[in-house]
Amino acid sequence: MLTMAHDTSASQLIDTFRTIVGNGHVLTDPGATLPFRRGFRFGQGRALAVVRPGSLVEQWRVLQACVKAGVIVIMQAANTGLTGGSTPDGDKYDRDVVIINSMRMRTIHLIGGGKQVVCLPGATLDQLEGMLQPLGREPHSVIGSSCIGASVFGGVSNNSGGALVRRGPAYTDMALYAQVDAAGELHLVNHLGIDLGTDAEEILARAERGEFPDASINWNAGRGHDDDYARHVRDIDADTPARYNADLRRLHEGSGCAGHLGLFAVRLDTFEAEKNPVVFYIGTNQTDVLEDLRRHVLGSFSELPIAGEYLHRDAFNIAEKYGKDTFVIIRMLGTRRLPALFAMKAKFDRLFDRMGFMPSHFTDRFMQFLSHFFPNHLPRRMRDYRDRFAHHLMLKVSASGAQEARDFLTSHFAKNEGEFFECTPDEGAKAFLHRFAAAGAAVRYRAVHPRTTEDIVALDVALRRNDREWFEVLPDDIDREIIVKLYYGHFLCHVMHQDYVVRKGNDCMDLEHRMLPLLDRRGARYPAEHNFGHLYAAPDDVRAHYQQLDPCNCFNPGIGQATKRKNWVAESV
């Protein structure tokens, strides 16, 4: 890694950071910075320092120092992303890298009686969900990445999706952010739709304190969610996917910026929580039966369902065994404590790694061992459907839409192969929790079977809205290199998560590169909701968007496999 070319030396810059945020919140030792430099699932690199500001003004001053010194800035919140987008990617940068971790700034302000919120950089989805629950309202996403402590900013910056059909990807027109222009000057931009003054530090201090008198709030400043998505997803004959990360319609300033801005606050809509929803559990062995169901539900139902989650039998089985402890812990403790448990597990993992003599993935292996002593956790009717049907769909509808769904399903399965049952509230909760547990099951399988498993190839795919051939069939030369395939996803949106556990001795990167052209030929887009990070190549129009946000390539360079060099100079030059 090259050192700074500016007149500020590395040691002077670190001293400046310590003056701004305090000695204890500037980390330079490689062991101390590792949790911030290593991605949740992918990615790792070097960094000059990790700085943890405790206020928006401190974050602004740290950014000013970084821009003056000419270093790269990686804005990081909870670091729970799956594609390495909030950590350095190796060491091939032309400038030093500074990570600004925002998790000390966890403030959330309710406005409009909780119909909207202003979130600061460290606010998490589970924190927001807890604040809104007494008001009978919900954030954009529930029981998903919120359970591992994901941040609100991470969802907005990456246009993250979620399981809830009506809400689409995380989106807002309204944000408060820092931007570096083509001349290398740092500017604060207030597009929150709230009058906070004109001086940068005054604006930031007022945002921090939540000084939002009614007269200062413009209620017509912009959208706080993708309010067109419900119509968009119903267009079942469109030859494009419903949602995917390269959709330019949903790239605006902080939304989809992928770290190319220094975000300080976002303003978002919240949603009225559904009361007494009804879950139908559906099983079939014919993919056409589910696709016909999907098209009718989206095209003809008077009210969109809340969620429609798909699970293949193989994913059911792997999740039943390797996601059991996650399921049981959530049932016992709820989702609120899960982020703290994940954080504790990460600390033990780092400790055992440093000890050297402990087996790899010791905590995963230990938790898997304990899970054998837990009683059977899945309802009998679900297990019966697993034995009889390859394809499973959980359809959650509102109380007002339950009769329409009930009548249609009765008619649909009177003339098609398959069956359904109406879940009790407990069965419905367990069905969706089991589907959630499937998302981490492949990772646990890899940890428990290191001798036979090379790694995981995880694809996040958006299928065309009119695609009837939605279930993947791999060619033999690819299939034989895979131990097990886990297919699950947000079926009504045609967003599929496809995890492949690869046999020992095979090249995972080569395997993925052979898979992607198959998706291209189907008109699929990827990634669907995890963003490009350093795993996927962003298309040219998305890279142009990043360049417009960040002309000097000062923030998070290399995202979407773009150049990491200053001013977007090609790496081959």
Side-chain angles (χ1 to χ4, degrees):
M1 180 185 290
L2 300 179
T3 56
M4 292 174 289
H6 285 61
D7 54 4
T8 305
S9 70
S11 61
Q12 287 175 319
L13 181 60
I14 290 168
D15 287 343
T16 300
F17 292 154
R18 287 173 173 151
T19 300
I20 296 169
V21 304
N23 289 342
H25 300 298
V26 179
L27 309 178
T28 57
D29 178 78
T33 61
L34 181 61
F36 305 91
R37 296 185 291 106
R38 182 165 61 189
F40 182 72
R41 180 183 285 182
F42 171 84
Q44 182 173 327
R46 289 171 55 186
L48 176 68
V50 174
V51 187
R52 303 178 65 241
S55 71
L56 298 185
V57 170
E58 286 185 1
Q59 180 170 300
W60 171 250
R61 292 173 179 172
V62 169
L63 279 174
Q64 287 178 311
C66 288
V67 171
K68 181 180 178 182
V71 299
I72 286 169
V73 174
I74 295 179
M75 302 295 299
Q76 181 187 86
N79 190 18
T80 58
L82 302 182
T83 58
S86 59
T87 55
D89 174 47
D91 304 326
K92 294 182 180 179
Y93 292 91
D94 60 348
R95 293 150 287 168
D96 280 308
V97 174
V98 172
I99 299 171
I100 300 179
N101 182 276
S102 61
M103 293 306 293
R104 292 177 63 209
M105 297 173 286
R106 293 171 53 90
T107 303
I108 298 173
H109 299 296
L110 303 177
I111 60 176
K115 292 183 178 180
Q116 288 190 336
V117 292
V118 175
C119 296
L120 301 195
T124 61
L125 286 168
D126 66 290
Q127 175 191 2
L128 178 56
E129 187 176 350
M131 287 186 68
L132 294 174
Q133 191 172 35
L135 305 177
R137 302 192 70 80
E138 293 177 338
H140 165 268
S141 181
V142 294
I143 194 164
S145 55
S146 58
C147 295
I148 57 175
S151 70
V152 174
F153 275 30
V156 172
S157 297
N158 294 314
N159 284 138
S160 298
L164 302 178
V165 177
R166 307 169 191 173
R167 299 180 190 176
Y171 180 85
T172 182
D173 290 334
M174 299 171 286
L176 174 63
Y177 59 89
Q179 185 173 34
V180 179
D181 63 21
E185 297 296 323
L186 183 70
H187 303 274
L188 185 69
V189 180
N190 179 13
H191 286 169
L192 276 179
I194 302 174
D195 185 0
L196 298 169
T198 57
D199 176 75
E201 294 200 357
E202 175 188 26
I203 290 170
L204 294 169
R206 287 183 175 178
E208 181 112 43
R209 294 192 296 266
E211 290 185 6
F212 310 141
D214 291 343
S216 70
I217 301 176
N218 178 2
W219 292 106
N220 297 307
R223 296 178 297 163
H225 77 285
D226 184 0
D227 58 1
D228 186 53
Y229 186 75
R231 180 206 60 79
H232 181 75
V233 74
R234 281 185 180 271
D235 188 359
I236 54 176
D237 292 317
D239 199 37
T240 57
R243 54 181 168 93
Y244 56 101
N245 286 134
D247 189 349
L248 296 180
R249 296 185 320 110
R250 299 185 183 95
L251 301 181
H252 176 73
E253 297 180 347
S255 295
C257 70
H260 278 290
L261 294 173
L263 281 177
F264 288 91
V266 295
R267 179 176 164 188
L268 299 163
D269 292 336
T270 68
F271 305 87
E272 187 174 352
E274 292 285 351
K275 296 178 181 178
N276 304 314
V278 177
V279 174
F280 297 95
Y281 198 97
I282 298 160
T284 182
N285 291 302
Q286 297 180 10
T287 58
D288 279 349
V289 171
L290 286 191
E291 184 57 27
D292 288 342
L293 181 154
R294 172 186 168 273
R295 291 179 64 84
H296 180 87
V297 167
L298 292 177
S300 301
F301 269 25
S302 59
E303 184 179 319
L304 276 178
I306 299 167
E309 291 295 288
Y310 170 78
L311 191 67
H312 185 265
R313 175 191 281 152
D314 292 343
F316 186 114
N317 290 336
I318 294 293
E320 182 180 25
K321 182 174 181 179
Y322 296 97
K324 186 176 183 180
D325 58 309
T326 298
F327 183 105
V328 172
I329 288 170
I330 293 177
R331 289 285 291 185
M332 291 174 57
L333 302 178
T335 59
R336 199 66 45 76
R337 298 184 183 180
L338 208 57
L341 293 176
F342 270 99
M344 185 184 301
K345 176 184 178 299
K347 288 182 180 179
F348 278 112
D349 285 340
R350 292 193 295 272
L351 174 63
F352 295 145
D353 285 347
R354 287 199 298 269
M355 291 171 68
F357 60 86
M358 299 293 287
S360 61
H361 306 292
F362 176 77
T363 57
D364 282 288
R365 295 185 185 193
F366 181 69
M367 291 168 70
Q368 187 63 31
F369 171 75
L370 289 181
S371 72
H372 294 309
F373 299 99
F374 298 150
N376 199 307
H377 59 295
L378 297 179
R380 178 189 58 78
R381 291 200 286 183
M382 284 176 58
R383 288 182 279 122
D384 174 61
Y385 269 42
R386 179 266 313 280
D387 295 337
R388 297 167 55 205
F389 301 117
H391 305 288
H392 298 237
L393 180 67
M394 290 137 271
L395 188 68
K396 180 184 289 189
V397 300
S398 64
S400 60
Q403 191 58 49
E404 181 179 28
R406 195 177 291 118
D407 292 343
F408 166 68
L409 291 173
T410 301
S411 171
H412 188 64
F413 287 104
K415 54 190 177 186
N416 289 289
E417 186 271 340
E419 293 180 19
F420 78 96
F421 65 84
E422 187 169 336
C423 296
T424 66
D426 185 62
E427 285 176 323
K430 287 181 175 179
F432 273 87
L433 183 52
H434 183 55
R435 156 61 187 89
F436 167 74
V443 176
R444 173 61 60 79
Y445 185 100
R446 176 186 63 185
V448 174
H449 299 285
R451 293 183 179 178
T452 58
T453 301
E454 183 66 29
D455 208 339
I456 298 167
V457 171
L459 298 181
D460 165 35
V461 180
L463 304 176
R464 292 177 291 116
R465 282 169 281 174
N466 65 353
D467 191 353
R468 294 196 58 90
E469 303 298 324
W470 57 271
F471 188 72
E472 179 179 71
V473 179
L474 292 172
D476 289 343
D477 66 310
I478 291 178
D479 198 60
R480 71 171 64 101
E481 298 181 14
I482 298 170
I483 299 172
V484 65
K485 303 181 289 288
L486 279 71
Y487 294 111
Y488 54 96
H490 317 309
F491 186 67
L492 297 185
C493 299
H494 255 193
V495 168
M496 300 297 293
H497 298 292
Q498 302 177 178
D499 295 345
Y500 311 90
V501 181
V502 181
R503 294 186 189 280
K504 196 75 172 179
N506 290 292
D507 186 332
C508 293
M509 189 63 69
D510 174 71
L511 186 66
E512 181 173 338
H513 287 167
R514 287 151 55 202
M515 287 178 168
L516 297 183
L518 303 177
L519 295 172
D520 294 336
R521 287 198 288 270
R522 296 171 60 191
R525 301 296 295 265
Y526 49 87
E529 57 184 11
H530 292 157
N531 219 307
F532 304 96
H534 294 285
L535 278 179
Y536 297 94
D540 290 342
D541 51 7
V542 175
R543 292 191 188 188
H545 172 71
Y546 294 158
Q547 190 168 353
Q548 180 268 324
L549 292 178
D550 181 19
C552 71
N553 210 16
C554 300
F555 287 97
N556 212 9
I559 291 297
Q561 298 182 4
T563 177
K564 297 174 182 175
R565 294 178 66 178
K566 186 175 181 180
N567 298 325
W568 298 87
V569 173
E571 304 213 359
S572 59
V573 175

